């Protein structure tokens, strides 16, 4: 499986380029299934989640090839015979995002209930509710969701929770439905907006992405898109921002949309970290001493759950008490046990974690329990005295493009063993 070893103690210094957004790229890859023509996507991160999604879409008969500069060329077939096997789908939660596009374009889909990161129950009721409202017939047979529809019909759908995946799945399906669809209480994450922009590039008529209501006028078919560049990854950017702050560093992040990381920038400033923008460059400089802060994860533009674990690592050595409330995924706090192995003092009570800052962390053998927990352990390892050996590195490889290379270029000592 391989381990990642992090030797702590060096402040991160220098500049680093942020890759394309994993979560936007995954959704956009799924949307590409609806294009009747070629699609060329730029700024796609070469990480394992993307590779798995490519393999899954290839099972449907797609021709997909990497081109220079992290670009992907995709061409879907006119008909789909095979459905992706369980072994592939189970590796990636986001494979559920194929449901809407497949139904809309090919009239049927069969997908095993997906797996993915181990961060909570992650039901799909809202996805199903939305697709059923568009007229899909859905049934669950031995863990496989089977859905059919001659032609989807536009509808009015209210989401009980602004789920990112449900918003994306329903929005994609509605693009090829007959008539208008209105989705209320939708997710406003930048990845949803990026997906809507891509869909419009294919000829869809989506309005309102980024607000609480998305309206879609269905069209009969979607066409080619010869160039679409995916937004930068705000969670990767955020992880380097936290790592810079945690190590007393001074880092310039290139290829960032500062607005997308504002929920983190605001928190870091509150913790006495300097964060300032220079166009699409974000400069993060630690100051002494850092101050404790309280965090509540919320749907965008609230504080992202995907950066909560990294902040927990940072706060574990900030003198005073910080409180973290996790409102999105209940299993995110499993990382606390690993941080405690490194000397952190964290008490978890349901959705609340109380972090008492200790003077320092110590290197230890720890394991990543999910992707962002893995990132948090890297941050902790960078801060700690001695070497930290992180197992289950495959979680980290799911979402961080060239992690060791990027960290090494900032002066960190990180290697695989
Ligand atoms: C996406 C992101 C993930 C991020 C999360 C929240 C991708 C590939 N992944 O995941 O990195 O952490 O958004 O920002 O984009 N829920 C339901 N019923 C549903 C769907 C969701 O109750 O049908 C609940 C979930 O259990 C969770 C909350 O809604 O408590 C948010 O989940 P959701 O926004 O759907 O997350 P994902 O799309 O799975």
């Amino acid at each position: 499986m391989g381990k990642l070893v992090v030797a702590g103690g060096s402040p991160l210094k220098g500049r680093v380029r942020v890759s394309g957004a994993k979560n936007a790229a995954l959704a956009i890859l799924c949307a590409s299934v609806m294009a009747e023509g070629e699609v060329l996507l730029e700024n796609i991160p070469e990480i394992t989640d993307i590779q798995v999604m490519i393999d899954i879409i290839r099972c449907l008969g797609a021709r997909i090839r990497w081109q220079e500069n992290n670009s992907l060329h995709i061409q879907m077939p006119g008909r789909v015979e095979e459905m992706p096997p369980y072994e592939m789908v189970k590796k990636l939660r986001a494979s559920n995002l194929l449901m809407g596009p497949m139904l809309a374009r090919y009239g049927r889909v069969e997908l095993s209930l997906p797996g993915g990161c181990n961060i909570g129950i992650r039901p799909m009721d809202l996805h199903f509710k939305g697709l059923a409202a568009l007229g899909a017939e859905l049934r669950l047979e031995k863990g496989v969701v089977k859905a059919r529809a001659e032609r989807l019909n536009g509808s009015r759908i209210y989401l009980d929770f602004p789920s990112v995946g449900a918003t994306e799945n329903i929005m994609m399906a509605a693009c090829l439905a007959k008539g208008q669809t209105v989705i209320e209480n939708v997710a406003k994450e930048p990845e949803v907006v990026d997906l809507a922009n891509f869909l419009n590039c294919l000829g869809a008529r989506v309005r309102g992405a980024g607000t609480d209501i998305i309206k879609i006028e269905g069209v009969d078919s979607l066409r080619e898109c010869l160039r679409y560049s995916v937004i930068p990854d705000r969670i990767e950017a955020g992880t380097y921002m936290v790592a810079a702050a945690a190590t007393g560093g001074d880092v310039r992040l290139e290829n960032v949309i500062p607005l997308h990381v504002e929920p983190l920038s605001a928190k870091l400033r509150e913790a006495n970290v300097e964060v300032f923008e220079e166009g699409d460059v974000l400069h993060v400089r630690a100051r002494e001493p850092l101050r404790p802060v309280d965090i509540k994860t919320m749907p965008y533009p609230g504080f992202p759950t995907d950066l909560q674990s990294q902040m927990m690592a940072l706060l574990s050595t900030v003198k005073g008490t910080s409180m973290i409330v996790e409102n999105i995924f209940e299993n995110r706090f499993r990382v606390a046990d690993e941080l405690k192995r490194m000397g952190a003092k964290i008490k978890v009570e349901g959705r609340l974690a109380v972090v008492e800052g200790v003077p320092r962390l110590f290197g230890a053998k720890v394991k990543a329990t999910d992707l962002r927990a893995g990132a948090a352990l890297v941050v902790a390892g960078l801060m700690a005295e001695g070497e930290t050996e992180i197992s289950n590195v495959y979680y980290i490889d799911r979402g961080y493009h060239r992690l060791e290379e990027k960290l090494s270029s900032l002066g960190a000592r990180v290697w695989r063993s």
Side-chain angles (χ1 to χ4, degrees), residues 4 6 22 117-120 122 235 239 242 304-314 316 326 329-342 346 361 365-383 388-400 403:
L4 194 67
V6 183
K22 168 178 88 75
C117 258
N118 202 3
I119 52 176
R122 304 187 91 171
I235 306 300
T239 302
V242 175
T305 177
D306 284 347
L307 286 171
Q308 184 265 102
S309 308
Q310 299 87 319
M311 277 302 278
M312 182 184 269
L314 166 87
S316 67
E326 172 56 59
F329 291 120
E330 65 278 8
N331 285 359
R332 288 276 195 207
F333 285 155
R334 290 171 63 187
V335 71
D337 286 335
E338 301 303 311
L339 292 171
K340 283 198 261 183
R341 298 162 76 85
M342 301 176 71
I346 304 168
L361 296 180
K365 289 189 178 182
V366 290
K367 69 170 188 292
T369 48
D370 66 67
L371 164 57
R372 306 305 171 185
L377 294 173
V378 172
V379 171
L382 291 168
M383 297 159 67
T388 298
E389 196 180 288
I390 306 170
S391 56
N392 288 0
V393 186
Y394 60 88
Y395 275 126
I396 302 176
D397 292 334
R398 293 181 55 167
Y400 289 90
L403 179 79

Side-chain angles (χ1 to χ4, degrees), residues 23 122-126 161 163-165 305-306 328-329 332:
N23 289 346
R122 304 187 91 171
M124 285 196 56
D125 54 317
L126 300 173
F161 185 89
S163 149
V164 173
T305 177
D306 284 347
I328 313 292
F329 291 120
R332 288 276 195 207

Side-chain angles (χ1 to χ4, degrees), residues 31-242:
S32 303
V33 161
M34 295 193 289
E36 293 184 20
E38 297 166 55
V39 171
L40 185 67
L41 301 176
E42 296 179 342
N43 209 23
I44 300 289
E46 285 183 49
I47 49 179
T48 54
D49 267 11
I50 293 290
Q51 198 51 54
V52 173
M53 186 63 95
I54 291 173
D55 292 343
I56 292 173
I57 299 177
R58 277 195 180 127
C59 286
L60 302 170
R63 279 185 290 146
I64 306 182
R65 58 173 201 276
W66 283 102
Q67 296 190 343
E68 280 177 357
N69 298 328
N70 305 109
S71 299
L72 260 188
H73 181 272
I74 304 157
Q75 171 89 60
M76 282 303 288
R79 280 169 62 91
V80 163
E81 310 290 342
E82 294 282 322
M83 291 293 160
Y86 170 70
E87 288 66 36
M88 273 192 189
V89 173
K90 75 170 184 196
K91 289 190 198 163
L92 184 61
R93 158 91 186 167
S95 54
N96 64 33
L97 294 177
L98 278 170
M99 211 167 271
M102 286 290 294
L103 256 179
R105 175 158 184 205
Y106 298 106
R108 78 179 181 107
V109 62
E110 289 179 17
L111 278 183
S112 315
L113 282 177
C117 258
N118 202 3
I119 52 176
I121 306 168
R122 304 187 91 171
M124 285 196 56
D125 54 317
L126 300 173
H127 299 239
F128 299 153
K129 175 179 155 183
L131 296 175
L134 295 176
E137 259 178 58
L138 292 129
R139 64 203 157 91
L140 185 64
E141 266 178 32
K142 296 183 186 159
V144 179
V145 184
K146 299 188 174 179
R148 278 182 183 277
E150 280 298 314
R151 168 103 196 248
L152 296 171
N153 281 303
S155 182
R156 197 174 184 99
I157 298 157
Y158 178 86
L159 296 181
D160 302 321
F161 185 89
S163 149
V164 173
T167 302
E168 293 175 340
N169 232 339
I170 301 165
M171 177 169 79
M172 290 189 280
C175 288
L176 289 174
K178 196 161 173 238
Q180 191 189 59
T181 298
V182 179
I183 323 172
E184 292 173 301
N185 197 30
V186 292
K188 293 180 281 200
E189 267 68 0
E191 294 75 18
V192 172
V193 178
D194 205 30
L195 173 63
N197 289 338
F198 172 68
L199 290 165
N200 287 339
C201 182
L202 295 178
R205 295 169 63 196
V206 180
R207 284 177 295 137
T211 73
D212 293 308
I213 300 181
I214 294 180
K215 290 187 181 163
I216 303 132
E217 292 294 335
V219 295
D220 290 335
S221 62
L222 295 176
R223 55 171 188 255
E224 64 187 16
C225 172
L226 292 182
R227 191 166 161 201
Y228 188 85
S229 189
V230 170
I231 53 168
D233 196 312
R234 65 193 166 103
I235 306 300
E236 188 200 15
T239 302
Y240 287 105
M241 290 166 71
V242 175

